[in-house]
Amino acid sequence: MMKMKPYIKDVYPLKAQFLSNEHIELAVELYNPSSEFKHLDIKVRICDLNKEIENIEYISTIQAQSDQTITIAVSPKEVEFKGYGVDVYLYSEEDLLHVFSSSFDVVSDWRKSTRYGFLSEFQPKELGDKADVMSMNKLHLNLVMFYDWMYRHEELVSPENEYSDLMGKISSLEVIQEKIDLCHQYGMKAMAYGAVYAASKDFYEKHRDWALYDSHGRVMDFINIFYIMNTSDQSPWHNHIIDQFNNAVVQLDFDGIHMDTYGSPKIAISKLNNVDKIERLEEHFPILINNTRKVLEQSKEDICLIFNNVGNWPVNSVARAEQDVIYIEVWNPNERYHHIQQIVYWAKYFSGGKPVILAAYLKPFRVNKKQEKLTAEGIDHSADIEEANFSALILTALITAIGGYHLLLGEEKGILTQGYYVDYSKTDDHFMREIRNYYDFMIRYANIFFDDELKDVSMTHVDIENHEYVFANGIFSSYGEPGKVWTIIREKPGRKTISFINLSEADEDYWNEGKKKPGVLENI
C-alpha cells in the first residue's frame, strides 16, 4: 500500500499587492497525512520572468495528520512595477514531495496595475466573516467595489447602524467598516459605489427642478425606483452628490468612489428656474469627475475615482478627466471577441494609456444559481457548467493578452452574470483553482502583459506579404475567428510577445456564450 506523503495545499501572498520597499510575506499551507514525516524542507524560488533572483530555505517541524501554515519572508523590492513568480518545493531530506507555484507584484503606486473585485453582502450576520476578502486576496484583487452598500442614493451613509436600502437589502455599517478595514490589511483599496444621478422618489418630490425630463415632460427614472438628477454644475444636485461622496470617504475611510451611471439618458431636458434646457450628459461628466476629485483630495491624499462608461459611452469625453482608470461596462452590440479588443485599445488611446477595466458579465454562469433545482430534478447540467467555466477562462486570456483587466470575481467564489451584483452566482472549488492559475500567471508576468510600450502588430505583421511572423501546422487568425487559434502579437524594441488563444472548438465568437473545452493542439 502506497503511503501518503505531505503536500502543499496552497501558496499565496499575504497582500493583494505590495508597495515598493514594503515587507513581503507569503503563506505556504502544508498538510501531513503520515506519522513518518516530521521534518520537512521548504525551498522557495522567487523569479523575475525566467530568472531566479532569490532563494529561500525553511525547515519545518510538522505533526502527523495536521495542517500547518508557514509564513515566508521575501526581501523588499524597490521597483516601479514588476510581477514575480513564486515556486515552492517541498522536500523530505533529498526526496522531492511536491511543487506549487504562485506570484505577487510590487508597485510604486497601485495605479500601475488595477485588479477589480466586488463585495455586495453587508448583512449583520456577515460580521466577523473574513473569507470573502481573503478569497479576493488570493486572486490578487487590489481594488474592491462595495456595491449597493449605501442607505439611499442621495444619502449614502445611514444614520443608523442597520438599515434597508431602496431594493430591500439589509446592511450594517459595522460590517461595512469591518470589511473596509480588512481590505486595507490586505493591501486593497475599498471603493464606495455611488450612482452619480440617482435619487429616491421622496427626494425627487422635494427637488423636482433638480431632475431630468424627457421631451414629453416626464421625469426620467431607472426601474421606477431611482429618479435621474441633473449632474450639470449649474444644478444643486452636482454639489450635493459630491458632498455625499466626500461623507463616505470621511466617515467610513473609503479610498474612493465608483461613480456609476446607467447608460441612459444621454440627452435630457432640465427645468432649473423653470427654464427648459437640453442637457448633454457627456459634457457634464468630465466636470463632475474633476470637481469630485478636487473635493475628495482635501479629505484624503491618495484618492481613487472610477467612472462607469456603460456600453463604452462616453469614453471619448471622460477619458482625460481626473479619474484613475477607464472602466467600461460591456453590453451589446459589443458582443464579439474582437469588440473586446477594440474597446481596450481605443480606451487606452483616448486616455493616454490609463489602465482599462472591463465589466464584462458572463451570463453562462447563471446556470450555477439553478444548480440545486436542476440536481433535484435529476437533470445533468455539468456540460453547461463546464462551458460557462471555459467562457470565463477564454475571456480572461483575451483581456489579459491585450493588457486589460476584468471585473468578474468577488465575494467568496462569487461571479458576476449581470449588472445587479447582489444576484451574483457561486462557482465551485475546481473553477476557482483554474481561474486562480490564470490570475497567478497574469501577475507573474504582469510587467509584460501590462507594458503600454508594447504595440499590437497582429494585423500588419502576419499573412499575405507580411512575413515577420509565420504560423504553420494549424489554423490561425489575427482577429479571433471561431474554429481557429487567435494569435495576438505585441512588440517593442528588445521584446516580442505572442499570445495563443485556443478557439479551435468554438462554433462562434460571441464572448458571452458558453464555450466547449478547447482541444489540445500539438506541433504548431
Side-chain angles (χ1 to χ4, degrees), residues 2-232:
M2 182 180 296
K3 63 182 179 182
M4 292 289 291
K5 297 181 179 181
Y7 62 90
I8 303 169
K9 292 177 62 177
D10 208 350
V11 177
Y12 50 90
L14 292 184
K15 282 191 174 182
Q17 186 177 67
F18 296 97
L19 294 176
S20 183
N21 276 326
E22 184 179 12
H23 185 60
I24 299 169
E25 291 184 324
L26 309 172
V28 179
E29 295 183 2
L30 305 175
Y31 180 69
N32 181 15
S34 172
S35 60
E36 297 183 30
F37 297 88
K38 296 181 180 180
H39 301 284
L40 299 172
D41 295 328
I42 300 170
K43 295 184 179 180
V44 181
R45 295 174 67 246
I46 307 299
C47 296
D48 177 357
L49 300 183
N50 63 341
K51 181 182 178 182
E52 181 183 308
I53 60 169
E54 189 172 354
N55 196 307
I56 304 161
E57 295 192 13
Y58 187 97
I59 299 176
S60 170
T61 301
I62 186 169
Q63 295 180 351
Q65 296 180 336
S66 67
D67 294 290
Q68 183 177 7
T69 300
I70 296 168
T71 300
I72 303 292
V74 179
S75 62
K77 313 298 178 190
E78 186 177 1
V79 294
E80 284 292 308
F81 169 42
K82 187 164 285 190
Y84 296 92
V86 177
D87 300 312
V88 180
Y89 300 82
L90 182 64
Y91 290 89
S92 175
E93 297 179 350
E94 298 299 320
D95 185 16
L96 178 60
L97 305 178
H98 197 197
V99 181
F100 207 105
S101 295
S102 184
S103 61
F104 64 90
D105 72 325
V106 179
V107 297
S108 59
D109 188 309
W110 58 268
R111 297 168 182 83
K112 299 286 185 181
S113 185
T114 54
R115 293 94 62 172
Y116 216 178
F118 75 93
L119 290 173
S120 62
E121 296 186 11
F122 311 107
Q123 305 97 316
K125 67 179 182 180
E126 286 280 309
L127 191 65
D129 182 4
K130 301 180 180 181
D132 45 14
V133 179
M134 292 172 65
S135 174
M136 288 189 288
N137 174 67
K138 293 180 181 181
L139 290 163
H140 313 281
L141 302 178
N142 64 322
L143 293 170
V144 179
M145 185 201 306
F146 282 57
Y147 179 86
D148 269 14
W149 65 277
M150 57 281 179
Y151 169 60
R152 295 291 182 268
H153 284 57
E154 74 275 4
E155 185 181 355
L156 301 185
V157 182
S158 170
E160 305 291 337
N161 177 52
E162 294 184 16
Y163 54 95
S164 173
D165 66 17
L166 288 179
M167 299 293 286
K169 185 166 72 71
I170 304 298
S171 295
S172 160
L173 281 180
E174 187 178 9
V175 169
I176 291 166
Q177 188 66 73
E178 181 181 66
K179 292 189 183 296
I180 292 171
D181 294 342
L182 195 58
C183 285
H184 292 161
Q185 291 175 31
Y186 281 102
M188 304 170 179
K189 297 294 185 181
M191 301 294 295
Y193 172 98
V196 300
Y197 48 31
S200 67
K201 184 176 182 180
D202 287 345
F203 186 89
Y204 159 70
E205 295 288 359
K206 296 174 184 176
H207 305 282
R208 286 175 172 264
D209 58 335
W210 295 14
L212 291 177
Y213 296 82
D214 66 17
S215 57
H216 298 285
R218 296 172 300 207
V219 64
M220 291 185 160
D221 68 78
F222 180 66
I223 63 174
N224 298 315
I225 295 178
F226 305 109
Y227 289 74
I228 307 301
M229 298 289 110
N230 180 8
T231 56
S232 164

